[in-house]
Amino acid sequence: MKVLITGANGFIGRNLKLRLMERKDVEVISFTRDDEPAGLPALVNDVDFIFHLAGVNRPKDPKEFLVGNADLTRVLCDAISANGRAIPVVYASSAQASQDNPYGLSKRVAETLFLDLHRDTGSATYLFRLPNVFGKWSRPNYNSVVSTFCHNIVNNLPIQINDPSALLTLVYVDDVVGRFIQLMDGAHSNLDASGFEVVNPQYTTSLSNLARQLYAFKDSRSTLLTERVGTGLVRSLYSTYLSYLPSNSFSYTVPLYGDARGVFVEMLKTPDCGQFSYFTAHPGITRGGHYHHSKTEKFLVMKGIACFKFRNMDTLEEFEMVTSGEVPTIVETVPGWTHNITNIGDDEMLVMLWANELFDRENPDTYACPL
């Protein structure tokens, strides 16, 4: 399948192009602002599907809205009509098309042109009135407030919020691109009450909450406390925030605590699922020698040989086991059992540790009791 992307060097276009280039059954043809509109008919003659993403967002002269949004769409529609084939088209319009500003009017004209194209030629036209799209490669101070906030916060620049309670409707670029590709692959339309295609999920948040979340991502490098970045809006915002990091900020250091036994390093803390760390121990060194009432831990010896010893604080039952880095084995500490770990090998031992709760110096739930 040959696919044409207009606006291929734009925010959504670059994300879409990368996804399509991952497929062996799709050949991508690009049309960018460096190309002349007069060349569009020749490109249309050779394609099976079109993503019309080209457009003007923030011109110096408002008249450029009609040229970049409406006039270019007219050229494209005329080329499809002249071709004589019913070529499906996805069009990225905007939620502002319902407004009577120059940008909204130009988008509405383009929508009408596609509706006329469908009526006259039978070409399937999938019209999306997209809300604020955010994600990697979005231009700050151009595409969305999310990209502007991310860029400024990463670079220690101030952000401007005129109305903290102002609400935003957001959609993630990966979800937009995913839906576009579904339609290319033959999926059925999913229309809203106004008859426009819909991308799900959509998120609503305020400017103040958006800023708070992005600053929390920034602070996590010093607090080690991660946000809940596994699902939904927070996941998408986190991926977007990280995409604005310059390459010299891809890494950061965390505190290291060392003594005669070895070192201890906390890596990551979570709001409600504990924390991750690692420690080392020199040959013959024993760590631990304590019990917990409620706290639990998981140990994974990454390198070396370890002997774990346990004793029940009530029955005095004792138990020990040996694990090594050669056979990945999780060892759990059980409430009410005092425990320790000894490096019984000849080399330094490296152990990964997860605890189910954050360490609380005021209430550590850790009571010394050597074995």
Side-chain angles (χ1 to χ4, degrees), residues 97-112:
S98 62
Q99 301 180 18
D100 290 332
N101 54 46
Y103 176 66
L105 288 170
S106 67
K107 284 292 191 179
R108 203 152 66 238
V109 170
E111 292 172 356
T112 300

Side-chain angles (χ1 to χ4, degrees), residues 134-212:
F134 70 99
K136 65 182 183 295
W137 305 334
S138 174
R139 286 172 54 187
N141 302 304
Y142 185 80
N143 286 125
S144 84
V145 66
V146 175
S147 60
T148 303
F149 280 12
C150 286
H151 172 268
N152 286 17
I153 291 172
V154 161
N155 291 284
N156 299 311
L157 299 172
I159 62 173
Q160 181 177 344
I161 301 178
N162 296 323
D163 181 2
S165 64
L167 295 179
L168 298 170
T169 300
L170 301 173
V171 64
Y172 187 43
V173 69
D174 282 9
D175 296 322
V176 172
V177 167
R179 182 56 185 158
F180 285 0
I181 294 175
Q182 286 177 350
L183 290 170
M184 181 193 75
D185 288 337
H188 295 296
S189 290
N190 178 25
L191 304 180
D192 63 16
S194 300
F196 292 94
E197 298 287 341
V198 176
V199 176
N200 289 314
Q202 295 188 13
Y203 307 102
T204 301
T205 189
S206 67
L207 281 174
S208 61
N209 284 336
L210 172 63
R212 180 202 61 77

Side-chain angles (χ1 to χ4, degrees), residues 36-348:
E36 292 296 328
L40 262 180
L43 298 180
V44 168
N45 285 339
D46 203 30
V47 300
D48 306 297
F49 200 97
I50 298 173
F51 295 96
H52 184 41
L53 312 180
V56 174
N57 290 350
R58 299 178 186 273
K60 295 180 180 180
D61 185 346
K63 295 179 181 178
E64 295 179 39
F65 281 126
L66 284 175
V67 174
N69 295 330
D71 292 351
L72 182 62
T73 299
R74 184 174 288 106
V75 172
L76 178 62
C77 289
D78 289 345
I80 296 173
S81 296
N83 180 269
R85 292 183 297 129
I87 305 175
V89 183
V90 165
Y91 175 52
S93 186
S94 167
Q96 291 194 46
S98 62
Q99 301 180 18
D100 290 332
N101 54 46
Y103 176 66
L105 288 170
S106 67
K107 284 292 191 179
R108 203 152 66 238
V109 170
E111 292 172 356
T112 300
L113 290 169
F114 279 118
L115 293 174
D116 291 343
L117 175 71
H118 173 68
R119 181 196 63 210
D120 297 339
T121 69
S123 295
T125 54
Y126 305 100
L127 310 183
F128 288 82
R129 283 191 171 181
L130 296 172
N132 294 279
V133 184
F134 70 99
K136 65 182 183 295
W137 305 334
S138 174
R139 286 172 54 187
N141 302 304
Y142 185 80
N143 286 125
S144 84
V145 66
V146 175
S147 60
T148 303
F149 280 12
C150 286
H151 172 268
N152 286 17
I153 291 172
V154 161
N155 291 284
N156 299 311
L157 299 172
I159 62 173
Q160 181 177 344
I161 301 178
N162 296 323
D163 181 2
S165 64
L167 295 179
L168 298 170
T169 300
L170 301 173
V171 64
Y172 187 43
V173 69
D174 282 9
D175 296 322
V176 172
V177 167
R179 182 56 185 158
F180 285 0
I181 294 175
Q182 286 177 350
L183 290 170
M184 181 193 75
D185 288 337
H188 295 296
S189 290
N190 178 25
L191 304 180
D192 63 16
S194 300
F196 292 94
E197 298 287 341
V198 176
V199 176
N200 289 314
Q202 295 188 13
Y203 307 102
T204 301
T205 189
S206 67
L207 281 174
S208 61
N209 284 336
L210 172 63
R212 180 202 61 77
Q213 185 64 81
L214 297 178
Y215 276 117
F217 296 152
K218 181 182 181 69
D219 294 342
S220 67
R221 286 193 166 192
S222 57
T223 66
L224 304 185
L225 184 63
T226 183
E227 296 292 292
R228 296 177 176 86
V229 295
T231 60
L233 176 61
V234 180
R235 169 185 177 272
S236 300
L237 286 174
Y238 185 57
S239 297
T240 302
Y241 173 82
L242 291 180
S243 73
Y244 286 85
L245 291 175
S247 56
N248 60 6
S249 295
F250 282 5
S251 65
Y252 61 101
T253 60
V254 294
L256 180 149
Y257 307 95
D259 56 29
R261 300 172 299 170
V263 301
F264 177 79
V265 176
E266 292 178 312
M267 174 189 173
L268 183 70
K269 301 178 181 180
T270 72
D272 49 18
C273 291
Q275 64 181 65
F276 297 85
S277 56
Y278 77 86
F279 64 85
T280 65
H282 301 302
I285 292 296
T286 297
R287 284 182 173 273
H290 55 238
Y291 65 92
H292 314 292
H293 288 296
S294 297
K295 180 187 293 186
T296 64
E297 300 157 317
K298 294 180 186 287
F299 292 85
L300 175 63
V301 176
M302 307 290 289
K303 184 183 74 170
I305 306 174
C307 178
F308 290 87
K309 292 185 177 180
F310 300 86
R311 184 172 67 237
N312 189 295
M313 296 301 296
D314 179 40
T315 66
L316 303 183
E317 175 188 352
E318 294 189 354
F319 171 75
E320 68 178 59
M321 66 179 298
V322 174
T323 70
S324 74
E326 295 184 358
V327 181
T329 304
I330 302 294
V331 178
E332 295 200 271
T333 63
V334 178
W337 289 70
T338 189
H339 52 272
N340 65 23
I341 175 174
T342 302
N343 182 356
I344 61 174
D346 297 327
D347 301 313
E348 182 182 61

